Amino acid sequence: MSEFWKERIPNAQTRSYERETFIRAKYQLLAFSLPNDNVITSEWALLLNDGYGASDGSGGSTSRSGSVGVSSTTTNAPPNRLIDYFCVFGASDRLENDGTAVQQQQIASLASAEDLRLDPIMIDCYPSSDIHSDCKVPSQIAKFVFPDGCRPSLTERDPTLFPFVLTEESGMKLYGCCLTVHDEEIETMHLVEVLRNSGYEGPLPSWLLEDEGKEESSSTATTTTTTTSSSNEESKDFSLISSLPSSSDFGMRHVLLPKALVVLSHYPFFDSMRVFLLQLFRICLNGAPLPVERYVMNFVREIPLPPLGKVEIKFSFTDVPCSICRPPKNKFPLFDLSYRPLFSALSVGNIITIVGCLLTESKVAICSSQYSLLTPACEALLSFLFPLVWVGVYIPVMPFSMLDVLDAPVPYLVGVHRRCLEMKRRPLGVVFVDLDNDTVHLGYDDSTSDFQRRKMPRFPPKDVGKLKAKLEVAGGCAYAGIPGAPKGCITWGDGERIENGIRETYGVESIVPTTAQNSRQMMFDSVS
């Protein structure tokens, strides 16, 4: 080693950015093997000007043309704050505009108010949506907050919570957590005004015409009662009571609109965001000594971002303690989710199959009826790629209105509602994963000229055997099977099941014992 580098060997007093420069010079530029006169090169100058921002905790970024590659330090460092925004989304007084007139043409045939898709808007945001120059609230985020559309509900629903991930134009990830409640009650007849505001002039649906008739009948009955009462105050005509609307009619003439509470951050602290939203909802129901806005401001503006691997920050919401910390750079990237949802939904053999598809840069769609399962499953699958990172299209919770993405000619990993499995013509070349039934649909391989049936990924037999054994010990016990149903079902082509005789050894199918407990529904309830 030259004297130039001997003077720069890190020690206990070396600052972190100098230590990082030394390491990158050693492994990235191989500068230790260069003579002193050649140290200051164009690449070395580029390294010095590259910046020393902290990693986002998700494995950094990449510099390659493929979809999977070796992790490296990102040049665009995420902001030095824990939370970016707290937002509230709700329904506007217009229908969702999808750019076509199909929705308006089908309104008259809708079966109920729950089939309407209202235009979602941002009702409130703290801090202001343009206060951060390095991060604006994405303009299309409302579609991801309501992936099934902003739809009214005829009945009260339990709150639902799910995490999601967005990708900014710079390539950095924006992590979010969404709690959806139905707490705003409006009259069904208000939907007529919504239709008119949207420019709809066609016939009204039958259920809306019935409510309109009931509304007019109620108004007539009320007018008659008032006239009779004023003409003869002493006589009481109780015969008109039967014509007044009953409590059941009253309930049928009201709908509940959804409202979503959303937390956004550049760091994947999903568990902390989940705890905050649940406790905030609890405070709204039961009350607290401080205003709700004070809790929001404390979480968004006053809790600092812990430095890498040095400090653990502890705080609490009401009586629930919480702590956050970030691993150092020489440890595994931050993963603030549980692996249990993935290992509960899929067998170990199917998990290895999907990881193999990602390593070969395939197009993968994760499907489930529970949106709360999609992001934990996708994030867990990507964590298995470490130290490689996925740089293809990544949308763990994709709105159902964006199904055209499935036809993209590039590798992707997306999560969608399992209704897409019911489509008559699914895109060729896409690996569909059904989390609800532990099934992997390999379909066809579009990388071949004749679209042959996609085969299971191949691994070195000895290595994949060791991997499967370790995964069975670590997470296989969490599998929630259906008694008598197949465990590790894999199909190819047009849905033909792959027999065990032609499968790879790591993905052999078995049958769940009929005496086993049906814990799959319990698993769905635990993550919703």
Side-chain angles (χ1 to χ4, degrees), residues 367-485:
C367 308
S368 175
S369 59
Q370 306 289 328
Y371 282 108
S372 53
L373 269 177
L374 296 178
T375 298
C378 292
E379 287 285 306
L381 289 170
L382 292 186
S383 70
F384 290 141
L385 302 180
F386 184 83
L388 305 179
V389 293
W390 178 263
V391 295
V393 177
Y394 179 52
I395 314 175
V397 177
M398 188 173 70
F400 205 74
S401 59
M402 293 176 58
L403 282 184
D404 292 344
V405 173
L406 297 180
D407 295 316
V410 297
Y412 56 72
L413 174 61
V414 299
V416 294
H417 196 279
R418 74 178 311 273
R419 290 199 310 272
C420 72
L421 297 175
E422 302 171 1
M423 295 188 302
K424 294 182 179 180
R425 297 183 61 183
R426 295 201 299 263
L428 296 177
V430 181
V431 177
F432 288 93
V433 181
D434 187 357
L435 294 180
D436 295 358
N437 297 299
D438 184 22
T439 302
V440 177
H441 303 279
L442 295 177
Y444 292 92
D445 187 358
D446 60 352
S447 63
T448 59
S449 58
D450 53 352
F451 280 87
Q452 298 179 359
R453 294 183 296 184
R454 186 190 302 272
K455 298 179 181 179
M456 296 176 62
R458 300 190 65 180
F459 295 93
K462 186 176 180 180
D463 295 331
V464 77
K466 292 180 178 180
L467 174 62
K468 182 178 181 181
K470 290 183 179 296
L471 290 179
E472 289 286 0
V473 173
C477 58
Y479 181 75
I482 302 175

Side-chain angles (χ1 to χ4, degrees), residues 4 28 69 93 95 124 218 286 332 413 463 511:
F4 179 88
Q28 183 175 340
D93 59 352
L95 293 176
D124 203 356
S218 174
N286 302 328
F332 288 109
L413 174 61
D463 295 331
I511 300 297

